[in-house]
């Protein structure tokens, strides 16, 4: 059991440092509540959870008053920074989870990005447990879920035949091209690459197949943590290429899942050697 026990406070600080990085990039991308327009403009083709969010008039209420929206953003950012300073205060994790979910739902509505409505919240859950043993069990459960998420994505690409359609990748690029053209400069290396891939569907599809194989590799994570360094490298490669080619948000969203594949037990002594004051943080006995 000892080898699975994590230093709760150290890992909580690490997780919410990643959340803080995500929020910083989201702010510069106009993703905070006080930066949204009123009335909030949303993508019409959304699932029932997003529609319920709109029908309850939650985003409309938050964006209708600048000071309400700003207060919500301050609470969100403040609770995140507070958890890095005081990781043992689990009630802050509850406050942050509520605030982050409200911000995340509004962000997805505005950016026409209909991602999972609960995925980014899962890394908040371990911080709600005070005892190290409960925290560790919850963290490893989230890690397994992350492995399943990526493996499932690759498996569905095969099951639904995406890897067998020559134009699959080209069609995906075309789907995101109009939004990119509206936001990006008229000429860029990124745009040249998109046009090149559209003009060379065989090469584009080979990238799609490579991405599928990469996602299937996450099956390893179900059986061992020994290769988490490999999964972390593949994770960063996958999302970096995804953001560059398909404009999928990474630093403001998926970067959070990097926490699942970091070897916190090996990282801790390295961080302590740089900042000896952290050596006072000891994991609780279970």
């Amino acid at each position: 059991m000892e080898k699975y026990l994590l230093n709760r406070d150290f890992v909580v600080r690490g997780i919410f440092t990643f959340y803080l990085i995500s929020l910083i990039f989201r702010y510069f991308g106009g993703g905070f509540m006080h930066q949204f327009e009123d009335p909030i403009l949303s993508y019409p083709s959304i699932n029932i959870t997003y529609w319920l969010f709109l029908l309850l008039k939650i985003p409309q209420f938050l964006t209708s008053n600048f000071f309400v929206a700003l207060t919500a953003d301050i609470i969100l950012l403040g609770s995140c920074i507070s958890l890095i300073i005081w990781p043992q205060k689990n009630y802050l994790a509850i406050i942050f989870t509520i605030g982050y979910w409200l911000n995340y739902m509004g962000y997805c509505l505005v950016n026409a990005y209909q991602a999972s409505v609960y995925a980014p919240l899962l890394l908040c859950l371990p911080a709600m447990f005070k005892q190290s043993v409960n925290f560790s069990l919850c963290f490893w459960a989230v890690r397994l879920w992350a492995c399943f998420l990526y493996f499932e994505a690759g498996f569905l690409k095969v099951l639904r035949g995406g890897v067998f359609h020559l134009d699959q990748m080209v069609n995906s690029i075309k789907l995101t091209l109009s939004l990119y053209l509206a936001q990006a400069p008229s000429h860029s290396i990124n745009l040249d690459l998109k046009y090149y891939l559209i003009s060379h569907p065989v090469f584009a599809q080979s990238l799609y197949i490579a991405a599928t194989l990469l996602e299937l590799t996450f099956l390893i994570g179900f059986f061992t943590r020994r290769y988490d360094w490999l999964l972390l490298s593949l994770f960063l490669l996958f999302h970096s290429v995804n953001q560059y080619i398909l404009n999928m948000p990474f630093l403001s969203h998926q970067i959070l899942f990097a926490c699942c594949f970091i070897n916190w037990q090996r990282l801790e002594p390295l961080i302590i050697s740089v900042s000896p004051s952290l050596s006072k943080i000891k994991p609780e006995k279970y």
Side-chain angles (χ1 to χ4, degrees), residues 74-201:
I74 291 173
I75 292 173
L76 172 64
L77 191 61
S79 59
C80 183
I81 296 173
S82 298
L83 278 162
I84 297 173
I85 301 172
W86 302 291
Q88 68 278 8
K89 298 186 182 299
N90 61 334
Y91 68 86
L92 289 172
I94 299 173
I95 295 173
F96 176 83
T97 301
I98 296 171
Y100 191 84
W101 184 74
L102 292 174
N103 175 272
Y104 172 74
M105 292 290 285
Y107 176 81
C108 291
L109 285 169
V110 170
N111 287 273
Y113 177 65
Q114 190 179 167
S116 169
V117 297
Y118 59 85
L121 306 178
L122 291 180
L123 282 163
C124 301
L125 296 181
M128 296 181 187
F129 295 95
K130 277 198 169 184
Q131 293 189 344
S132 289
V133 62
N134 295 331
F135 170 84
S136 300
L137 289 172
C138 186
F139 179 85
W140 297 127
V142 172
R143 176 192 169 277
L144 287 175
W145 181 88
C147 291
F148 168 76
L149 178 71
Y150 286 92
F151 172 75
E152 180 197 31
F155 179 74
L156 290 177
K157 285 182 175 66
V158 177
L159 184 65
R160 295 174 178 174
V163 294
F164 306 113
H165 294 290
L166 184 61
D167 294 329
Q168 182 67 38
M169 186 63 175
V170 170
N171 290 334
S172 298
I173 296 172
K174 288 179 178 178
L175 191 65
T176 62
L177 189 59
S178 58
L179 180 61
Y180 179 81
L181 289 172
Q183 297 175 339
S186 57
H187 179 77
S188 66
I189 297 176
N190 194 339
L191 186 59
D192 289 340
L193 176 60
K194 293 178 190 296
Y195 285 142
Y196 178 84
L197 291 174
I198 292 173
S199 303
H200 298 79

Side-chain angles (χ1 to χ4, degrees), residues 6-101:
L6 297 167
N7 184 332
R8 180 194 178 279
D9 289 356
F10 178 77
V11 179
V12 168
R13 283 192 168 103
I15 289 174
F16 284 93
T17 297
F18 273 86
Y19 270 113
L20 183 59
I21 293 171
S22 170
L23 289 173
I24 291 171
F25 279 96
R26 188 171 297 180
Y27 172 79
F28 286 106
F32 272 39
M33 279 291 180
H34 75 275
Q35 296 173 307
F36 298 157
E37 294 292 335
D38 179 34
I40 189 167
L41 300 177
S42 58
Y43 187 59
S45 181
I46 53 178
N47 66 35
I48 190 170
T49 308
Y50 288 96
W51 272 119
L52 182 63
F53 190 64
L54 285 171
L55 291 173
L56 291 174
K57 300 187 182 299
I58 296 174
Q60 295 93 319
F61 169 73
L62 290 173
T63 57
S64 62
N65 188 303
F66 175 80
F67 293 102
V68 172
L70 185 61
T71 301
D73 290 335
I74 291 173
I75 292 173
L76 172 64
L77 191 61
S79 59
C80 183
I81 296 173
S82 298
L83 278 162
I84 297 173
I85 301 172
W86 302 291
Q88 68 278 8
K89 298 186 182 299
N90 61 334
Y91 68 86
L92 289 172
I94 299 173
I95 295 173
F96 176 83
T97 301
I98 296 171
Y100 191 84
W101 184 74

Side-chain angles (χ1 to χ4, degrees), residues 147-148 150-151 214-224 231:
C147 291
F148 168 76
Y150 286 92
F151 172 75
L214 185 153
E215 290 174 320
L216 292 174
T217 305
F218 280 82
L219 180 65
I220 298 172
F222 285 99
F223 305 103
T224 180
L231 298 182

